[in-house]
Amino acid sequence: MDFINSIVAENLKRLREQRKMSLDAAAKASGVSKSMLGQIERGEVNPTISTVWKIANGFKVPFTELVSCPEAEYEVVDTALMQPFLEDDGHFRNYPVFPFDSARRFEMIYIELDPGSSLKADPHPENTQEFLTVFSGNLEIQAAGERFCAGRGGAIRFQADCPHEYHNSSLEICRLSMVIYYPD
């Protein structure tokens, strides 16, 4: 079992048991099938980013609560040593760098999008905002009927409680930092 799969498996099982939820109830809440949830809990599959987001939204927890180990007093993160979550046939890579902490109300994710790659994201909980800083490439965001663009050195903030989409419209890898803020 891969390291990240074991973390997701343990966190999913822990959260489900804390809530005293059956696999049927978890499937109903998340929109992920009972058999897929069972396979994830047993570490038999590598869930996609979309699947983990569906589970997180269904359980009403931040994404990184499912993909992270408990927090230490300090942490140095090397994304080269992390196994990313993949979407768009591996062209969209999500590295959950700093997990959600209820005292801080945010999580931080490092993302790489290959040229031309895209990801459609489901809405986050109400009033959630994303703060994106672009380090290379050109990022396009579509949310709430609006289109926002930022290149190297640019940043975008938007309400993420609606369906939204990320797209790299450049000929180089788009690298960005994402901070997701969850209000009380």
Side-chain angles (χ1 to χ4, degrees), residues 42-153:
R42 293 187 300 276
E44 296 173 354
V45 296
N46 183 13
T48 64
I49 295 169
S50 296
T51 299
V52 176
W53 272 115
K54 285 180 181 181
I55 296 167
N57 287 337
F59 279 57
K60 298 184 180 4
V61 298
F63 177 85
T64 53
E65 190 163 339
L66 285 167
V67 300
S68 301
C69 294
E71 184 178 284
E73 286 199 32
Y74 66 89
E75 186 173 5
V76 176
V77 178
D78 183 351
T79 57
L81 302 175
M82 295 177 77
Q83 178 185 350
F85 283 89
L86 306 175
E87 280 288 340
D88 192 15
D89 295 322
H91 297 287
F92 184 102
R93 295 171 295 282
N94 174 312
Y95 300 83
V97 179
F98 293 111
F100 175 80
D101 177 287
S102 59
R104 289 190 289 265
R105 311 293 313 158
F106 73 88
E107 61 188 328
M108 183 176 276
I109 301 167
Y110 171 71
I111 294 177
E112 294 179 341
L113 294 91
D114 289 337
S117 67
S118 296
L119 175 73
K120 290 184 180 182
D122 290 330
H124 300 307
E126 188 176 357
N127 295 321
T128 298
Q129 293 185 25
E130 289 190 14
F131 298 78
L132 311 171
T133 304
V134 179
F135 300 108
S136 68
N138 187 41
L139 178 66
E140 292 182 14
I141 298 293
Q142 290 192 10
E146 299 286 333
R147 183 174 162 262
F148 312 99
C149 297
R152 180 181 174 184

Side-chain angles (χ1 to χ4, degrees), residues 146-176:
E146 299 286 333
R147 183 174 162 262
F148 312 99
C149 297
R152 180 181 174 184
I156 300 171
R157 177 187 56 81
F158 69 98
Q159 288 295 122
D161 56 2
C162 62
H164 49 285
E165 185 173 349
Y166 311 87
H167 178 71
N168 178 5
S169 60
S170 72
L171 298 176
E172 65 177 310
I173 294 174
C174 181
R175 293 178 172 90
L176 62 116

